[in-house]
Amino acid sequence: MCRKEHIHAVFSGVEPVLDVMVRKQSEIRAQTGAICVVDTPESIAIGTDKLRTCEWLRDHGFNYPMFAASEDGANLAALLAAKGFPLIAKPRMGKGSIGIHLIQNQAALDRIKLLPGYVVQEVLGDEQTEYTAACFSDRNDFVRGVIVLHRRLEHGTTVCASAGLYPVVRAEAQRIAAALCPRGSCNIQLRLHHGQPVCFEINVRFSGTTSVRARLGFNDVEASLRHYVLGEPAVDLPVVTSGQMLRYWNEVYVAPAAFSELAEHFHLAQPAAFPLQLEDYGGHIPLQ
């Protein structure tokens, strides 16, 4: 017997899904009653396209990495003359570390010129000075909270993060969010460069550290649900000044019968009948 559940809200942190949501949100609301918690097409376009991100930062008076489109020979020459090698090339519509190239010489730069849809930037700071800041804004465009994580990446994913006040980074992230006016959450990525915070990417969506933020007391998913879906007045999110996260892989061992039942029915009739085992690299922890 199938149960029909009513969906009240739709959230996503996946760019292709957001693209559909922003175009179809009125249709989804009309047919299902569900509210899509998604930003405006304009803000999403600024965040999705790394070239437009740089242009927007420049045009609004923020720190930004010097940049040029891969097919823009004149600006590439100016970038090289001003900054020299190394440079970094990224897909304009990319995510994580996919497709990123560190350009060490002219031959590598010449190859990048043949790749349409890339942006070339100066290299900012170093890996030890990277931060991610999540900002939550209400429907009146007021920034209701900022959490800053000093982080370390592996293959584009945050694997180590330390929460702190980081006032200089926090202030720059808040200024950017106040100017962009996102609907709900946005994630601003920055590095310290010559002692100044420089934004190089804006994700106008829930990011990969959303669960980490919630665990540390900054629950922007709940805030979005309460404010944008339930219509509650917006409240200020807490200022998180400490917290440490380490992210790693481990294995979960599942009973074959449970796996077969999930594959066939997409749910378990009696989940408690199938205890799980989590590999903890030294002992086994049963999960109920």
Side-chain angles (χ1 to χ4, degrees):
M1 179 178 179
C2 295
R3 295 181 301 173
K4 185 177 180 180
E5 304 287 351
H6 181 68
I7 298 174
H8 297 275
V10 182
F11 297 81
S12 181
V14 181
E15 285 91 346
V17 176
L18 291 174
D19 181 58
V20 174
M21 286 170 60
V22 76
R23 291 185 289 106
K24 300 287 187 178
Q25 56 184 313
S26 296
E27 181 179 336
I28 293 171
R29 181 73 180 275
Q31 293 185 8
T32 69
I35 296 173
C36 291
V37 181
V38 64
D39 215 309
T40 64
E42 294 77 17
S43 294
I44 290 177
I46 290 169
T48 302
D49 186 335
K50 292 179 175 61
L51 178 64
R52 290 191 62 178
T53 301
C54 290
E55 293 171 338
W56 184 87
L57 291 167
R58 177 198 62 197
D59 295 345
H60 286 77
F62 296 109
N63 297 328
Y64 65 94
M66 190 171 178
F67 66 95
S70 58
E71 58 270 26
D72 187 342
N75 277 331
L76 276 177
L79 172 60
L80 181 59
K83 299 299 179 181
F85 295 114
L87 299 169
I88 190 166
K90 308 173 183 178
R92 289 175 57 174
M93 312 299 284
K95 63 179 181 178
S97 60
I98 299 173
I100 291 180
H101 301 272
L102 187 64
I103 304 171
Q104 299 279 15
N105 51 50
Q106 186 63 49
L109 182 59
D110 290 340
R111 288 193 293 270
I112 291 297
K113 292 178 182 179
L114 302 177
L115 297 177
Y118 265 71
V119 60
V120 182
Q121 300 175 350
E122 65 174 306
V123 176
L124 299 173
D126 55 45
E127 294 179 353
Q128 284 70 49
T129 64
E130 183 155 329
Y131 298 82
T132 179
C135 304
F136 178 76
S137 301
D138 64 20
R139 60 177 72 251
N140 295 316
D141 302 329
F142 186 79
V143 180
R144 288 288 186 167
V146 180
I147 182 172
V148 184
L149 303 175
H150 184 202
R151 68 176 184 172
R152 181 168 63 83
L153 295 172
E154 292 288 347
H155 307 294
T157 297
T158 301
V159 296
C160 179
S162 302
L165 191 57
Y166 309 118
V168 176
V169 176
R170 177 182 299 270
E172 182 74 355
Q174 183 158 348
R175 288 177 59 231
I176 291 171
L180 184 62
C181 301
R183 185 174 183 264
S185 291
C186 76
N187 167 251
I188 298 168
Q189 298 178 17
L190 315 92
R191 279 189 177 185
L192 292 181
H193 189 60
H194 302 307
Q196 295 297 315
V198 182
C199 173
F200 61 88
E201 187 168 323
I202 303 173
N203 296 311
V204 191
R205 55 175 173 80
F206 293 108
S207 68
T209 54
T210 301
S211 60
V212 177
R213 303 194 297 265
R215 179 72 176 182
L216 296 177
F218 190 97
N219 195 333
D220 44 334
V221 173
E222 180 181 358
S224 295
L225 182 62
R226 289 185 177 279
H227 184 55
Y228 287 100
V229 179
L230 301 180
E232 296 181 6
V235 297
D236 293 336
L237 274 69
V239 177
V240 179
T241 59
S242 66
Q244 183 68 51
M245 179 277 284
L246 299 175
R247 177 177 282 159
Y248 57 92
W249 292 103
N250 56 0
E251 294 79 40
V252 175
Y253 296 90
V254 183
F259 190 82
S260 299
E261 185 175 335
L262 280 172
E264 182 176 357
H265 301 293
F266 304 104
H267 74 280
L268 295 175
Q270 295 181 310
F274 302 104
L276 303 178
Q277 277 196 326
L278 171 67
E279 176 58 66
D280 70 339
Y281 308 104
H284 295 293
I285 303 174
L287 301 180
Q288 299 296 334

